[in-house]
Amino acid sequence: AQSVSQHNHHVILSEAASLELGCNYSYGGTVNLFWYVQYPGQHLQLLLKYFSGDPLVKGIKGFEAEFIKSKFSFNLRKPSVQWSDTAEYFCAVNGGNDYKLSFGAGTTVTVRA
Amino acid sequence: EAGVAQSPRYKIIEKRQSVAFWCNPISGHATLYWYQQILGQGPKLLIQFQNNGVVDDSQLPKDRFSAERLKGVDSTLKIQPAKLEDSAVYLCASSLPSDSPLHFGNGTRLTVT
């Protein structure tokens, strides 16, 4: 089974600051990688996903993530955050044809106006 | 498209009582998942259905938890009897069989006192 580690539990930023959230996974085979976001009071939503191809993937709302296979990492980035990016962010992984997702513990991001 | 519907949104029960949660997935989504999300942790898969058959229930505490999806659409998750450690948000998600990104409902927040 895969395990997912998110480096930061809580990140506090000011608007316009850059954001990078770390995610590492443990699985030796082919993986599918995801970032989900949960805004306050809302359900989990898919932010972006990586299945294959270009390791730099772009998602909604200006987010991007880079898959580095040699480091087993899939870090999430946004060059300039907004107050509305305040949310909890979850990295998730499934392996090959196993659609069962393993989630990290989540990172709470608070953006100060 | 309508999202994944869950009810109730909140439930408070005493330990040893029973509780049931309901989920209606997105129309056409054959795969349905129940996740448990304990405060401060990422979602953990409890059970996965493909149509009305169970694909994976390896992490479902079967002595007290049960789930069914009789007609391959709606699903119910039951806990009987509840324990304090069952306090969590119970998330339902659905997906197309060949499209692994999950679509989540708003969840049911269960408090066991």
Side-chain angles (χ1 to χ4, degrees):
Chain A
Q2 309 92 344
S3 69
V4 182
S5 174
Q6 291 185 239
H7 306 161
N8 308 98
H9 181 63
H10 194 180
V11 173
I12 302 173
L13 306 165
S14 297
E15 276 194 312
S18 64
L19 172 69
E20 180 161 0
L21 302 181
C23 173
N24 286 90
Y25 63 93
S26 65
Y27 183 73
T30 303
V31 291
N32 300 318
L33 298 154
F34 308 83
W35 276 97
Y36 280 85
V37 60
Q38 188 167 26
Y39 297 104
Q42 297 187 26
H43 60 274
L44 278 162
Q45 303 171 43
L46 182 66
L47 201 53
L48 48 78
K49 63 187 179 185
Y50 172 80
F51 287 176
S52 63
D54 188 343
L56 183 63
V57 293
K58 296 192 184 296
I60 60 172
K61 304 186 180 185
F63 285 89
E64 65 179 28
E66 184 175 13
F67 170 50
I68 302 180
K69 187 175 181 179
S70 61
K71 295 185 178 180
F72 298 88
S73 70
F74 190 56
N75 292 353
L76 181 71
R77 298 194 292 253
K78 185 170 183 177
S80 177
V81 296
Q82 300 173 313
W83 176 80
S84 57
D85 293 322
T86 294
E88 191 157 16
Y89 294 81
F90 293 92
C91 181
V93 175
N94 64 20
N97 293 322
D98 181 0
Y99 291 139
K100 182 169 66 179
L101 277 181
S102 296
F103 282 84
T107 299
T108 301
V109 173
T110 302
V111 180
R112 293 178 178 150
Chain B
E1 82 187 343
V4 176
Q6 288 189 247
S7 67
R9 286 296 306 272
Y10 305 94
K11 190 74 178 178
I12 301 174
I13 62 172
E14 296 181 350
K15 60 183 179 183
R16 291 188 289 274
Q17 286 187 322
S18 303
V19 65
F21 313 127
W22 173 82
C23 172
N24 181 242
I26 292 172
S27 178
H29 281 196
T31 310
L32 184 146
Y33 312 78
W34 282 102
Y35 279 82
Q36 179 193 56
Q37 186 177 11
I38 293 172
L39 187 64
Q41 300 180 19
K44 182 186 83 172
L45 180 69
L46 292 175
I47 188 167
Q48 177 184 341
F49 291 94
Q50 181 74 19
N51 296 308
N52 60 348
V54 175
V55 173
D56 186 339
D57 63 356
S58 56
Q59 299 191 83
L60 186 74
K62 298 180 187 64
D63 57 335
R64 298 183 301 104
F65 286 65
S66 65
E68 59 184 13
R69 194 183 184 199
L70 292 176
K71 296 182 180 179
V73 181
D74 294 6
S75 177
T76 56
L77 176 70
K78 297 179 181 177
I79 307 175
Q80 180 179 14
K83 293 185 175 182
L84 295 176
E85 59 261 36
D86 299 331
S87 293
V89 176
Y90 290 84
L91 297 166
C92 180
S94 69
S95 70
L96 294 167
S98 59
D99 181 12
S100 57
L102 273 58
H103 299 262
F104 285 86
N106 284 324
T108 297
R109 183 177 298 277
L110 174 68
T111 302
V112 182
T113 63

